[in-house]
Amino acid sequence: MKAVVFSEYGPPQVLHVAEVATPVPKAREVLIRIHATSVNFGDMVVRNFKAITPSKFHMPMLFWLIGRVTFGLRRPRVHVLGSEFAGEIVSVGSRVTLFKPGDQVFGYRGPRMGAYAEYLCMPERGVVTAKPANLSFAEAAAVPYGALMALSMLRKLDLQPGQRVLVNGASGGIGPSLVQLARSHFHADVTGVCSTARLGYVRALGADTVIDYTKEDFTASGQTYDVIIDVLGRTPFARSKRALRPKGRCLLVSFKAKHVFQMLWTSLFGDKRLICAMSSETQDDLRLIKVLVEAGTLTPIVDRCFPLEEAAEAHRYVEAGQRRGSVVLVGGT
Ligand SMILES: NC(=O)c1ccc[n+]([C@@H]2O[C@H](COP(=O)([O-])OP(=O)(O)OC[C@H]3O[C@@H](n4cnc5c(N)ncnc54)[C@H](OP(=O)(O)O)[C@@H]3O)[C@@H](O)[C@H]2O)c1
């Protein structure tokens, strides 16, 4: 089969098309023909992992070490990127009961990646389920990563209707799902923070208020929130705290070891708490996301589609930082 592979870490041009062996499903696996996969944060990091020093990495040093060992120290060990996908089941293993050939599905591979290819095997109990009926393959491929992360993060917060939530980093891979789910599923009042170019995009996602981080510091505006979700963890807690209401919580999607100590400290002594959150993804979560998408609670926005063969161009486009929505690779048909 055709796949986009890379054998050296580096800039987008390390990605190239090659012929690789088509995977064969094991007894409890399904073989999926990939119609669309997206370009997300993880793909960009793994493609150039050698250049990502611990200080540039947004998570604790231990995670960086695990990442380097998993993905390869000097050269990539994972040769095909792509963690989220939409496609059609072409064959199933002898003991598969949940799926049959012809089923249209979408799913999430996480760090196992491998979706920049024509075919992919998934365990039938993995994070894969029927594609939302109201979405194209390209739209469906843009859903899993952001929606699964956002759902997992929001669940840790026990949000109440009417609470004020600020999403710092509302326009990237996870932020749009945080904004939409907080607003339409948890019925919170949502403020989205992003750069100037993406204010309209975040407003269109349903944010009640938008703030341009290049012009305004949300911690100095006098506005206060019940919850602040900081996707990149760029704002020190000492500053976020000023914008938190009494008993307010600041959830970091990206954090360093020092934040874990701050979390322990604030859980013991603080009125305002810091939470370092790790995501978890399940097939049940993806099923719920399908329902939310079909109900119109969650709507993916695709900025641009590229043919799978133009993955390098798609990575360049994402790196240029102009996208307003997901960038999707389509192909394998
Ligand atoms: N805890 C976990 O389990 C977990 C799981 C997955 C990912 N993560 C972490 O999540 C992060 C990736 O999230 P993502 O996919 O949403 O990233 P992304 O697509 O790169 O989006 C980053 C967002 O941050 C905004 N931003 C950039 N600079 C900012 C600043 N100075 N102030 C405020 N906002 C700023 C961007 O806004 P503009 O584009 O408008 O500039 C954009 O909205 C990574 O750090 C990753 O390690 C954590």
Side-chain angles (χ1 to χ4, degrees), residues 49-76:
F49 214 155
K50 207 170 166 185
I52 311 283
T53 57
S55 62
K56 285 188 193 157
F57 197 63
H58 296 163
M59 300 296 273
M61 172 85 168
L62 178 64
F63 290 48
W64 175 86
L65 263 175
I66 293 171
R68 282 303 295 267
V69 171
T70 307
F71 293 111
L73 284 173
R74 292 169 184 281
R75 286 163 175 270

Side-chain angles (χ1 to χ4, degrees), residues 12 14 18 33 39-41 77-78 119 134 153 174 178 211 224 239 260 274 309 314:
V14 297
R33 184 169 192 132
V39 178
N40 63 32
F41 183 86
R77 289 176 59 192
V78 170
Y119 296 94
N134 56 335
M153 300 294 160
I174 304 173
L178 284 169
I211 294 175
T224 54
R239 279 179 37 216
V260 179
L274 183 68
E309 298 81 357

Side-chain angles (χ1 to χ4, degrees), residues 283-304:
Q283 194 178 65
D284 283 346
D285 287 347
L286 195 62
R287 277 200 205 104
L288 172 60
I289 286 163
K290 168 186 160 19
V291 171
L292 294 173
V293 170
E294 288 177 342
T297 305
L298 198 55
T299 306
I301 297 183
V302 174
D303 173 296
R304 199 164 155 188

Side-chain angles (χ1 to χ4, degrees), residues 41 58 145 168-169 171-174 195 198 213 234 253-254 277 279:
F41 183 86
H58 296 163
Y145 162 70
N168 192 22
S171 59
I174 304 173
S195 61
R198 281 176 271 274
Y213 68 74
R234 292 261 172 95
V253 178
S254 309
S279 67

Side-chain angles (χ1 to χ4, degrees), residues 39-42 45 56-59 63 108 145-146 149 152-153 156 167-176 178 193-199 202 213-214 218 230-235 252-255 276-281 318 321 323:
V39 178
N40 63 32
F41 183 86
V45 169
K56 285 188 193 157
F57 197 63
H58 296 163
M59 300 296 273
F63 290 48
Y108 183 65
Y145 162 70
M149 300 304 132
S152 174
M153 300 294 160
K156 297 180 199 300
V167 178
N168 192 22
S171 59
I174 304 173
L178 284 169
V193 182
C194 60
S195 61
T196 317
R198 281 176 271 274
L199 289 172
V202 173
Y213 68 74
T214 68
F218 75 86
D230 195 344
V231 174
L232 293 185
R234 292 261 172 95
T235 307
L252 301 182
V253 178
S254 309
F255 53 88
C276 300
M278 285 305 296
S279 67
S280 56
E281 311 87 37
V318 171
R323 72 185 171 122

Side-chain angles (χ1 to χ4, degrees), residues 104-158:
Q104 296 189 344
V105 294
F106 74 142
Y108 183 65
R109 298 272 294 172
R112 289 175 65 207
M113 303 199 144
Y116 285 14
E118 278 185 292
Y119 296 94
L120 184 69
C121 281
M122 280 292 286
E124 69 162 337
R125 305 265 170 199
V127 186
V128 55
T129 196
K131 175 176 85 63
N134 56 335
L135 297 189
S136 66
F137 285 111
E139 289 167 329
V143 172
Y145 162 70
L148 287 163
M149 300 304 132
L151 186 65
S152 174
M153 300 294 160
L154 289 168
R155 276 207 186 114
K156 297 180 199 300
L157 290 166
D158 189 25

